[in-house]
Amino acid sequence: DQQVKQNSPSLSVQEGRISILNCDYTNSMFDYFLWYKKYPAEGPTFLISISSIKDKNEDGRFTVFLNKSAKHLSLHIVPSQPGDSAVYFCAASGSTGTASKLTFGTGTRLQVTL
Amino acid sequence: DGGITQSPKYLFRKEGQNVTLSCEQNLNHDAMYWYRQDPGQGLRLIYYSQIVNDFQKGDIAEGYSVSREKKESFPLTVTSAQKNPTAFYLCASSIDHRGARANVLTFGAGSRLTVL
């Protein structure tokens, strides 16, 4: 039972354009959401997070939007740069206090082309 | 620089052999985790430890064992009881095991285990 779903395994975007990565979840108990970025042969690194009390969180070129009624979140990267090419994992937690319950999606591979 | 070191990077094992993957952190983090990544699947939690000398099973603990004798170290043993051990293994840590910061994990570079 995949509680966190990233339905697009890959995405290709031109440099300078907006990249939109999507994530859906089924568990209504999730209240904290994170995005991690992974380069080949490296471990994932934390990118940005959002609590369920918010619907938007912004950090530089990266913005995460949360739609609780639709159980959907998205990561926007504007403008996209070649260095953004990586695999992006969406993750969700049932409580801000239980990292052991962090559930990951399957990842979306983003390729930013010149 | 602080971080997590996993070794070996690549490991080959014959069926029936136990192998131990090393994970060391110098971040002074309380909590440590082991995840497994398979193609087309998200990261799945094997074991986690919130404090020294304490650890709990994650979602897929069968066939694995861990220890947490030191704060810095959280080795994972893949035993012969693990039916499908070929995978990419990631070790992670977080500064706390409670609160929002518990969700912000620092990962190692991973160990790829192949069973021949």
Side-chain angles (χ1 to χ4, degrees):
Chain A
D1 179 28
Q2 194 73 25
Q3 296 188 68
V4 177
K5 300 177 184 178
Q6 295 178 256
N7 292 319
S8 297
S10 63
L11 175 68
S12 183
V13 173
Q14 263 190 329
E15 182 181 11
R17 303 270 191 171
I18 182 172
S19 294
I20 300 176
L21 293 88
N22 294 304
C23 178
D24 297 296
Y25 62 95
T26 57
N27 190 337
S28 58
M29 299 303 291
F30 288 148
D31 61 3
Y32 198 75
F33 305 88
L34 308 93
W35 286 93
Y36 283 84
K37 175 180 179 179
K38 183 181 183 303
Y39 291 117
E42 296 182 14
T45 56
F46 169 72
L47 187 59
I48 193 169
S49 64
I50 188 167
S51 166
S52 60
I53 62 173
K54 294 184 174 183
D55 55 17
K56 177 183 174 181
N57 189 27
E58 193 171 353
D59 183 2
R61 297 185 297 112
F62 302 90
T63 303
V64 56
F65 295 91
L66 176 62
N67 182 334
K68 289 185 289 293
S69 61
K71 294 190 178 67
H72 177 82
L73 67 155
S74 60
L75 174 68
H76 292 210
I77 306 174
V78 183
S80 300
Q81 298 175 354
D84 296 329
S85 296
V87 177
Y88 290 79
F89 290 97
C90 169
S93 172
S95 165
T96 57
T98 54
S100 60
K101 300 300 182 185
L102 203 56
T103 302
F104 286 85
T106 53
T108 295
R109 182 178 302 278
L110 172 66
Q111 183 172 9
V112 179
T113 58
L114 298 174
Chain B
D1 286 336
I4 295 182
T5 301
Q6 288 187 241
S7 63
K9 198 172 181 68
Y10 298 96
L11 184 62
F12 297 90
R13 185 194 97 175
K14 292 182 181 179
E15 282 193 36
Q17 288 181 335
N18 292 355
V19 293
T20 297
L21 307 180
S22 170
C23 177
E24 302 280 331
Q25 56 106 351
N26 61 2
L27 300 164
N28 200 34
H29 283 179
D30 282 334
M32 297 188 74
Y33 312 84
W34 275 103
Y35 286 89
R36 168 178 172 146
Q37 186 184 12
D38 294 284
Q41 297 198 36
L43 280 65
R44 293 183 291 166
L45 183 65
I46 304 172
Y47 265 100
Y48 65 100
S49 168
Q50 297 177 331
I51 200 167
V52 174
N53 292 323
D54 183 62
F55 50 83
Q56 285 82 40
K57 293 181 179 180
D59 299 321
I60 55 166
E62 185 176 352
Y64 300 98
S65 66
V66 293
S67 63
R68 186 88 186 274
E69 297 176 2
K70 299 186 299 183
K71 187 174 185 178
E72 307 80 28
S73 179
F74 192 41
L76 173 74
T77 296
V78 185
T79 74
S80 57
Q82 168 50 234
K83 297 305 179 189
N84 186 21
T86 294
F88 188 59
Y89 291 88
L90 285 161
C91 179
S93 69
S94 61
I95 191 166
D96 292 319
H97 60 268
R98 292 201 173 275
R101 296 192 302 178
N103 293 296
V104 180
L105 305 181
T106 299
F107 284 87
S111 293
R112 185 167 297 281
L113 172 63
T114 302
V115 173
L116 304 172

